[in-house]
Every structure is written in structure tokens, then in C-alpha cells.
Amino acid sequence: ELSQASQQTIEQLLAPYAGSSFFAADMSTLRSELEQLPWISRSEVRRVWPDQVRVTLEEQLPIARWGDAALLNNNGTAFTPRDQDNYQYLPLLQGPQRVQQRVMQQYQMLSQMLRPLGYSITRLELRERGSWFVTTAQGVELLLGRDHLVEKVQRFVAIYNEVLKDKAANIASVDLRYPNGLAVAWREPLVPAAVTAATVN
């Protein structure tokens, strides 16, 4: 059963092989052609005596968007289906093309660390100079810098639970690029504080 790949496209690709003799059909070429389809991540093709070929297909599992033109599967491999409009809800990951798997790994690790705080990542970016930036669904930006990401996020989690939890709605961004601390930028209060007028007699 296929949820994304086109049954018709696959049948058209298989049709020329159906007319081949049992031993003459090139199974490796067929497997390669199937795996070039955008929604197929892996295929298994084998002969079944006396006159059948069994084809098993594994579809891509989109986990995130990669830039403007591709999706990433759970292994961090990019693929480019024609219609991506239905996947705008997925988190957006960005970075140099050569580091797709690294960005996916960091996304999975950071998501796991931030989930207990109620934060989910909507955007993770690795910039050319190596700095990491996170945006959460709650509108909080985390500036992580270049290295020691795990230690920095662990520090944030600890300080959040001790000091920031009650003020979470007012956090705009957190700069974690300091060696031993962090800096919090606060949102403007949604409701101005009430001013009490004093009467002097």
C-alpha cells in the first residue's frame, strides 16, 4: 500500500520488465529506477520461482522541510517531490547542502531536550560560519553559537526550570553563546502595568 508514491507511475515503470523473460530481467536496474522516484526511499526486487518478481517498496517519511525546495526524511536525506504545499506544517531546517544529515541529527537531539519544557522547534538554522539558531513554536529564539550545543541547552533547561519557568510567556530570545551563563531578551508586556495615582493632602 502506498500513501504518497503514484501507483500508476510505478506500474508504468514495471511494465517493460513484465515482458522480459524470467532470467533476462535486470533486477538491479529496476531497483535503481524505483529508488529514483521522489517518494521511494528503498526498494527490494527479487525473483520468485517460477515466473514472478516480488517488489517491496519503502516510502519516504518526511520529517522536516529543507530550505525552499526539498523535504528531509528521518535519515537526513533530502528528496524533492513535486507537491510540497501539504508539508508547510513541518519544521524548517536550513544550512549548507553538505550538512543535511548533521542538521537533522541536531534537530532530533534538540527537540528531545526542549520537549520537557513544552517547546517544539519550528526552525533550525546552521549558518555558513557555523552558528546555530533555533525558533520554537512558542516564538522563542535560541542563539546557540558554534559548539557545545548539548551543554548550552542543558544549562538553559536547568535555569529555565529554576528561574524562567514562571516568566516563560515573556521570553523573546535567549542568547546561550556565553561560556557560563545566558542572556534573556524579554517581550514587551501585553497589558501595561496599572498606574496608581497618589493623592497629596
Side-chain angles (χ1 to χ4, degrees):
E1 291 184 13
L2 301 170
S3 59
Q4 301 293 345
S6 165
Q7 185 85 30
Q8 183 179 1
T9 300
I10 291 168
E11 287 174 359
Q12 288 173 351
L13 195 148
L14 294 174
Y17 293 88
S20 302
S21 75
F22 182 73
F23 293 105
D26 186 346
M27 299 293 100
S28 61
T29 301
L30 174 56
R31 184 172 59 248
S32 176
E33 289 181 5
L34 286 166
E35 289 178 357
Q36 287 176 13
L37 297 173
W39 279 106
I40 302 300
S41 66
R42 193 180 70 83
S43 67
E44 182 181 311
V45 181
R46 62 186 181 91
R47 292 180 175 89
V48 178
W49 183 260
D51 59 356
Q52 292 184 350
V53 172
R54 183 181 298 274
V55 177
T56 305
L57 302 175
E58 185 178 307
E59 286 188 297
Q60 299 280 12
L61 177 62
I63 299 295
R65 292 175 288 144
W66 179 253
D68 298 326
L71 300 176
L72 285 182
N73 66 17
N74 53 330
N75 296 318
T77 304
F79 63 104
T80 53
R82 287 193 188 99
D83 183 14
Q84 297 180 37
D85 293 342
N86 295 332
Y87 298 93
Q88 295 303 307
Y89 68 92
L90 291 175
L92 175 63
L93 308 187
Q94 292 184 301
Q97 290 296 332
R98 64 189 181 276
V99 295
Q100 295 165 347
Q101 291 183 341
R102 183 177 169 208
V103 175
M104 174 56 79
Q105 290 168 354
Q106 291 288 15
Y107 165 75
Q108 291 170 332
M109 181 206 52
L110 294 172
S111 293
Q112 189 173 3
M113 295 178 74
L114 294 172
R115 192 172 297 121
L117 306 185
Y119 286 161
S120 57
I121 297 175
T122 57
R123 180 180 177 132
L124 173 63
E125 181 180 2
L126 173 60
R127 298 196 179 155
E128 284 290 344
R129 294 186 178 183
S131 291
W132 294 86
F133 294 84
V134 171
T135 305
T136 71
Q138 295 71 26
V140 176
E141 292 184 347
L142 302 178
L143 291 72
L144 299 175
R146 295 185 185 186
D147 47 22
H148 307 295
L149 269 62
V150 172
E151 293 90 336
K152 289 174 180 177
V153 175
Q154 285 174 338
R155 184 191 321 140
F156 169 64
V157 170
I159 294 173
Y160 179 92
N161 285 326
E162 287 181 21
V163 180
L164 300 174
K165 193 172 189 176
D166 294 336
K167 307 175 185 78
N170 282 327
I171 299 173
S173 66
V174 181
D175 190 341
L176 295 159
R177 295 174 292 182
Y178 299 92
N180 297 309
L182 54 81
V184 178
W186 303 100
R187 302 180 193 277
E188 293 294 326
L190 297 178
V191 180
V195 177
T196 304
T199 305
V200 180
N201 292 327

